[in-house]
Amino acid sequence: MTVTETPGAQRTEPAARPSGRVRGARRRRLLAGLGAGLVLPVLLVIGWHLLAASGRFSPAQLPAPLDVVAALGELAGRGELWQHIAISVQRVVLGFAAGAGAGLVLGGIVGLSARARSFLAPTIQAVRAVPSLAWVPLLLLWLGIGETPKITLVAIGAFFPVYTTIAAALEHVDSRLVEVGRAYGRSGLRLFLQVQLPAIAPPALSGLRLGLAQGWLFLVAAELIASSIGLGFLLIDSQNTGRTDILLLAIVLLALLGKLTDAVLGVAERALLRRWT
């Protein structure tokens, strides 16, 4: 009985130790990465403070970082800040969902079908070259001045990186991998979900992150469309009223929110890659 239990204990104990070491190593790498990632922002803020204090620029041209923090407190105290942030995040999330969904579908069609590629790809690539601001008057004419044109413009921005990445990745999937999948009885949707989709997972997820970043870029243009709330509106309104501190605050908030949403998508990316690889 003792002989039977001892080997079992020997097998179980070493299996637990590497797991703890791996988790600890991951935590150390994460903390080291976060620390290294904060170095440049801290240096930029220090440089910003020194430049503002040097007297080379007036406070109206370059407010000090503390002035921007004071503007943050001012807007938060009036209850406006959270409204601007909430509506901008809502527009980006809805627009990204619509644009990325369309990009996944159309990119899949173009990537899987040579006939669809020759028919659709040239026109889509031509439309991709249209600047974001060029869409504003057209969307106003078609969709009015409500939320729909703003979300649509963000969706247009998110669509093209996702579409391009998916179409290119599917077009270059190893044909031998596809043949192996067919040899094991996979075809149609099962072949796509079980063979081709896992094969393109890394570039597809990178395309989604690029689409999200592009959605934030298009947000400012979207909030030019007869908007009275949102970070893009705050940016333009502060320019018109000469509040450079609020203008810089809007830029910083756009950067932070873009990074935060990208980090959330990055967590989902790592979870999916662990599952498919």
Side-chain angles (χ1 to χ4, degrees):
M1 185 72 176
T2 305
V3 175
T4 305
E5 290 176 350
T6 304
Q10 290 174 346
R11 284 193 301 269
T12 304
E13 195 173 338
R17 286 176 182 169
S19 176
R21 287 198 298 268
V22 168
R23 286 196 296 270
R26 285 177 180 170
R27 280 195 295 269
R28 286 193 295 272
R29 284 197 301 269
L30 179 61
L31 291 174
L34 289 173
L38 288 173
V39 171
L40 183 57
V42 169
L43 291 176
L44 287 174
V45 171
I46 293 172
W48 172 9
H49 172 74
L50 294 175
L51 193 59
S54 68
R56 298 179 65 180
F57 298 95
S58 69
Q61 292 175 309
L62 184 64
L66 288 178
D67 293 333
V68 175
V69 173
L72 172 68
E74 176 189 339
L75 290 177
R78 296 205 303 256
E80 296 177 18
L81 181 66
W82 315 118
Q83 295 176 7
H84 289 302
I85 291 175
I87 194 66
S88 290
V89 170
Q90 176 181 295
R91 287 164 179 163
V92 169
V93 169
L94 293 176
F96 171 71
L104 286 169
V105 172
L106 205 55
I109 293 171
V110 169
L112 292 172
S113 170
R115 183 175 297 179
R117 190 178 312 123
S118 61
F119 181 72
L120 295 172
T123 302
I124 294 175
Q125 292 302 325
V127 175
R128 181 186 180 188
V130 177
S132 59
L133 288 176
W135 291 102
V136 171
L138 190 61
L139 292 175
L140 280 172
L141 286 172
W142 285 355
L143 302 173
I145 60 173
E147 286 297 297
T148 306
K150 301 174 183 64
I151 294 170
T152 301
L153 188 56
V154 174
I156 291 171
F159 168 80
F160 289 105
V162 177
Y163 158 81
T164 303
T165 306
I166 296 295
L170 283 172
E171 186 180 351
H172 295 96
V173 170
D174 191 342
S175 58
R176 291 171 295 183
L177 185 64
V178 176
E179 291 302 321
V180 169
R182 286 177 176 148
Y184 279 89
R186 306 294 189 272
S187 63
L189 186 60
R190 289 183 65 203
L191 179 67
F192 174 73
L193 292 176
Q194 297 180 10
V195 177
Q196 292 167 306
L197 186 58
I200 67 164
L205 292 167
S206 296
L208 287 172
R209 294 178 73 173
L210 288 172
L212 180 60
Q214 188 84 339
W216 279 105
L217 292 176
F218 272 57
L219 174 70
V220 175
E223 291 181 338
L224 289 174
I225 305 176
S227 183
S228 60
I229 191 170
L231 292 175
F233 163 77
L234 191 64
L235 190 70
I236 303 303
D237 184 64
S238 60
Q239 178 190 12
N240 295 333
T241 57
R243 292 293 305 270
T244 315
D245 51 349
I246 295 180
L247 189 150
L248 287 172
L249 174 63
I251 292 173
V252 171
L253 288 174
L254 285 167
L256 291 175
L257 288 170
K259 176 57 183 172
L260 178 61
T261 52
D262 179 74
V264 171
L265 202 55
V267 171
E269 176 185 10
R270 288 189 291 274
L272 287 171
L273 288 178
R274 281 197 299 270
R275 178 181 177 183
W276 282 341
T277 57

